[in-house]
Amino acid sequence: MDLIIIIVFIILILSCMIAAYVPYELQPLATQAGFSKFSLRFFLLRVQKVPIKYLFEQYIKLIDSDIDIEFEELKKYWSAKPDKLESTINIIINAKNAGLEIPINEIDKYNLNETNSLSFFSVLKKLKKFKITFSDSEIFELINSDINIDEYFQCITNAKKHNINLSEYNIKEIDIDKINAYINNLDEVIKLGSKPDLIIESNFSQEIKNILLTNILQINRLNINISEKELIEIFNSGINTTEYIKAIELLQSEKFEGINQKKIKEHFIKGGNAAVVLDSLLYAKANQAEIDPKILFKIDLDKNADLQNIIKKAVIPYEIDLLEILPVVLPDGIQITPKIKLNIKNNINAYSSYTDETVFFNMIYDIISDEILKFKTYQDVLGNIKPIIKNTLKQISSKIKETENTPFFITNLKIIDIDINSDTLSEIKEKENKAKKEDARLKILEANAKLQENMSEALKNGSMSFKDYQKEKHIFGSFDNDELPYSD
């Protein structure tokens, strides 16, 4: 009995040894993975039915890359995500090569794949090169953005030269072009011998700082006498500095009576744009129009006013149709409606005054109607279009001189067509046709009377027989003296 127990015990020990024995072909891998020739751990792997050779190979890849990891950690990851193990190991190796230690149980939170992990570690190398510190999350944020990474790091390098802190920017919202523009403008200003400390050290946004630096370059180029301090004060007054500089430039290059730098500044502070006013004055001057600058300064403060369009319509004539014209009834009974086009210019002096355009156009209608009514027939009207227009323009000009707040000046008037009332014209034609028919009937009766007279005379002098007389009378019908205009 004791012998049997001993034999069973020996067999059991031998079985365990056989199960725990690492096959010869796996021994090199097992040794590298830290397994002995006879290993209980190996026995447990067999019991758990895991791909031992595959796990050994992946584990060795990590060990060879000097990555500190327990075999059990690797097995645990494989158990949870068997399909991702090899890809994850390659990512961890990429991280190690860049000097970044990422535990296998944390790698998935970055949502990396083998491709973007290379970008991640490329960024990390650049960070080390430029001696810039980014958190891991910032690196991934940069990778997942649309930013050109090389341009971004070059931008950071340029910014560091001027002690510009880009940490205030959200990576996803950063605009490299604007930052580079700011840095380039800063370099240009410094090259001019200026150090814009007030702008750099201000609490203005990067965008505002860049505008002010651009203004300094404009001031220098145009040789305008505005200091950095004054420029900031102008900006703080709520003035658009770019438009202000433009206005000063115009003031220096052109002569504007009664306008100086103080007037321009006051106008900007009131909410106007003196640059637009000066531009408008130059436009008027180029078109030989004299306009009081005070009027334009006043109009420009009207927030609903489009000064450039207003000045254009006051200087350059434009064409409109004279609408809602009533028919003119001529002495011959014909109703005609002239179609009129006007070339007008706005009276800029009346812009702020109350002007009734309807009254103005009614005046024109009344004048042209009176001119048309000087003629009796529509044929006379059609033959005298030019005199009608000439006299109408003359009277309009006279009327406008008598009115202070006329909304428009008339530069030309054209009658492009005349509508004749078709109903009235048809009635007249009908009367004309009726008269023509009556005239024809009278002529026939007169002819018959003349014929009767001739025949009667022939009968009396014997040149016609009574038989022939009756025959002719039968042919032409009876002669009814009541229809004749006269009888003998």
Side-chain angles (χ1 to χ4, degrees):
M1 185 67 180
D2 292 337
L3 182 61
I4 293 172
I5 293 172
I6 292 171
I7 292 172
V8 170
F9 181 73
I10 290 171
I11 291 171
L12 184 61
I13 291 174
L14 289 173
S15 298
C16 290
M17 289 180 65
I18 292 169
Y21 176 74
V22 178
Y24 179 76
E25 64 275 10
L26 291 181
Q27 284 182 12
L29 295 174
T31 301
Q32 285 184 281
F35 286 76
S36 59
K37 193 173 184 180
F38 291 93
S39 173
L40 181 59
R41 291 166 62 203
F42 186 79
F43 170 73
L44 293 174
L45 290 176
R46 278 187 162 180
V47 171
Q48 293 170 2
K49 296 183 178 179
V50 299
I52 300 171
K53 183 180 179 182
Y54 172 73
L55 289 179
F56 279 170
E57 288 172 342
Q58 300 308 314
Y59 185 71
I60 289 166
K61 282 169 64 176
L62 293 171
I63 296 301
D64 287 345
S65 297
D66 198 24
I67 295 171
D68 186 17
I69 184 173
E70 295 292 333
F71 184 82
E72 286 302 316
E73 278 188 88
L74 182 70
K75 182 170 75 68
K76 185 177 179 181
Y77 187 89
W78 170 84
S79 299
K81 301 172 183 178
D83 295 335
K84 288 188 64 177
L85 179 63
E86 193 166 353
S87 173
T88 300
I89 287 173
N90 290 334
I91 292 170
I92 292 172
I93 292 172
N94 286 339
K96 180 64 178 180
N97 291 337
L100 185 64
E101 297 281 355
I102 302 178
I104 194 169
N105 60 348
E106 294 181 10
I107 196 72
D108 288 337
K109 73 179 181 181
Y110 299 115
N111 196 27
L112 284 171
N113 55 48
E114 290 185 57
T115 302
N116 66 17
S117 68
L118 293 174
S119 300
F120 174 87
F121 304 125
S122 173
V123 170
L124 189 62
K125 289 178 181 178
K126 288 184 173 70
L127 286 168
K128 289 182 177 180
K129 176 183 176 182
F130 292 107
K131 297 180 181 179
I132 300 169
T133 302
F134 266 26
S135 67
D136 292 348
S137 60
E138 287 176 324
I139 295 173
F140 289 114
E141 188 177 4
L142 181 61
I143 291 169
N144 293 327
S145 70
D146 296 327
I147 293 175
N148 182 307
I149 293 173
D150 289 330
E151 290 181 2
Y152 176 72
F153 280 108
Q154 188 58 54
C155 178
I156 290 175
T157 303
N158 294 336
K160 286 184 71 176
K161 292 178 183 178
H162 296 290
N163 297 318
I164 299 170
N165 183 14
L166 298 183
S167 61
E168 62 186 85
Y169 292 100
N170 183 306
I171 290 174
K172 290 183 179 179
E173 296 174 355
I174 197 167
D175 191 324
I176 293 173
D177 290 336
K178 286 184 178 179
I179 295 171
N180 282 333
Y182 169 72
I183 293 169
N184 291 337
N185 282 336
L186 187 57
D187 284 336
E188 288 297 318
V189 171
I190 292 170
K191 284 179 185 177
L192 294 173
S194 253
K195 193 174 181 184
D197 293 333
L198 293 176
I199 294 175
I200 294 171
E201 295 169 6
S202 69
N203 293 323
F204 296 141
S205 67
Q206 202 79 55
E207 186 175 358
I208 298 301
K209 288 179 179 179
N210 193 36
I211 290 172
L212 296 175
L213 288 174
T214 303
N215 292 155
I216 288 178
L217 292 173
Q218 288 177 308
I219 289 167
N220 187 272
R221 176 173 56 83
L222 299 170
N223 197 25
I224 296 172
N225 186 24
I226 302 175
S227 67
E228 180 189 0
K229 182 180 179 181
E230 185 181 0
L231 182 68
I232 293 174
E233 288 175 354
I234 291 169
F235 177 82
N236 286 333
S237 299
I239 296 174
N240 183 318
T241 51
T242 301
E243 290 297 304
Y244 179 82
I245 291 168
K246 181 180 177 182
I248 300 302
E249 179 191 5
L250 289 170
L251 186 64
Q252 288 187 173
S253 60
E254 299 287 338
K255 290 183 179 180
F256 296 96
E257 188 175 348
I259 303 174
N260 53 31
Q261 193 164 334
K262 181 182 177 182
K263 172 72 174 174
I264 286 174
K265 190 172 183 179
E266 287 174 352
H267 186 69
F268 272 108
I269 290 173
K270 289 177 183 177
N273 188 330
V276 173
V277 174
L278 298 185
D279 261 340
S280 299
L281 285 169
L282 288 176
Y283 182 82
K285 184 179 178 181
N287 288 278
Q288 291 78 47
E290 292 293 332
I291 295 178
D292 187 348
K294 293 178 181 177
I295 294 172
L296 296 190
F297 276 111
K298 185 177 179 181
I299 294 173
D300 187 54
L301 294 177
D302 180 354
K303 296 303 178 184
N304 296 319
D306 180 353
L307 185 58
Q308 289 180 325
N309 188 47
I310 290 170
I311 194 72
K312 182 179 179 180
K313 287 189 173 184
V315 171
I316 305 296
Y318 61 98
E319 193 174 68
I320 64 168
D321 293 316
L322 186 59
L323 303 175
E324 299 181 4
I325 301 176
L326 297 174
V328 180
V329 182
L330 296 170
D332 64 359
I334 294 290
Q335 292 182 13
I336 65 171
T337 306
K339 292 185 177 180
I340 299 169
K341 281 190 178 292
L342 299 174
N343 282 76
I344 64 174
K345 293 192 295 185
N346 290 5
N347 179 10
I348 200 164
N349 295 307
Y351 175 82
S352 301
S353 307
Y354 173 76
T355 55
D356 191 337
E357 295 181 6
T358 304
V359 172
F360 180 83
F361 291 127
N362 284 342
M363 176 196 73
I364 296 173
Y365 167 74
D366 290 340
I367 292 172
I368 202 164
S369 296
D370 290 343
E371 287 298 318
I372 289 172
L373 286 172
K374 290 179 180 178
F375 301 92
K376 294 182 178 180
T377 68
Y378 74 92
Q379 289 95 339
D380 292 337
V381 172
L382 294 176
N384 288 277
I385 295 295
K386 287 185 178 180
I388 290 172
I389 291 173
K390 183 179 178 181
N391 291 334
T392 300
L393 286 172
K394 186 177 179 181
Q395 289 194 57
I396 290 172
S397 177
S398 177
K399 290 277 187 183
I400 286 175
K401 287 179 181 178
E402 298 172 6
T403 308
E404 292 183 0
N405 292 326
T406 180
F408 306 107
F409 297 110
I410 306 295
T411 60
N412 196 15
L413 179 149
K414 292 185 286 185
I415 299 176
I416 60 171
D417 196 7
I418 292 180
D419 285 342
I420 300 172
N421 187 299
S422 58
D423 293 337
T424 306
L425 189 59
S426 64
E427 287 175 9
I428 290 175
K429 286 184 177 179
E430 187 178 343
K431 289 179 181 179
E432 288 177 349
N433 290 335
K434 190 175 181 180
K436 287 178 182 178
K437 287 180 181 178
E438 184 64 22
D439 185 55
R441 192 178 77 83
L442 289 174
K443 286 181 179 179
I444 291 171
L445 291 174
E446 287 177 358
N448 284 341
K450 185 68 175 175
L451 178 61
Q452 182 184 11
E453 183 182 352
N454 291 339
M455 288 174 62
S456 296
E457 186 66 29
L459 184 64
K460 288 178 183 180
N461 61 26
S463 59
M464 177 180 280
S465 66
F466 184 75
K467 184 179 179 180
D468 288 336
Y469 174 78
Q470 290 292 337
K471 184 179 178 181
E472 292 292 332
K473 185 177 180 181
H474 176 73
I475 292 171
F476 288 100
S478 62
F479 295 102
D480 186 354
N481 288 337
D482 293 338
E483 294 182 347
L484 296 176
Y486 60 88
S487 62
D488 53 354

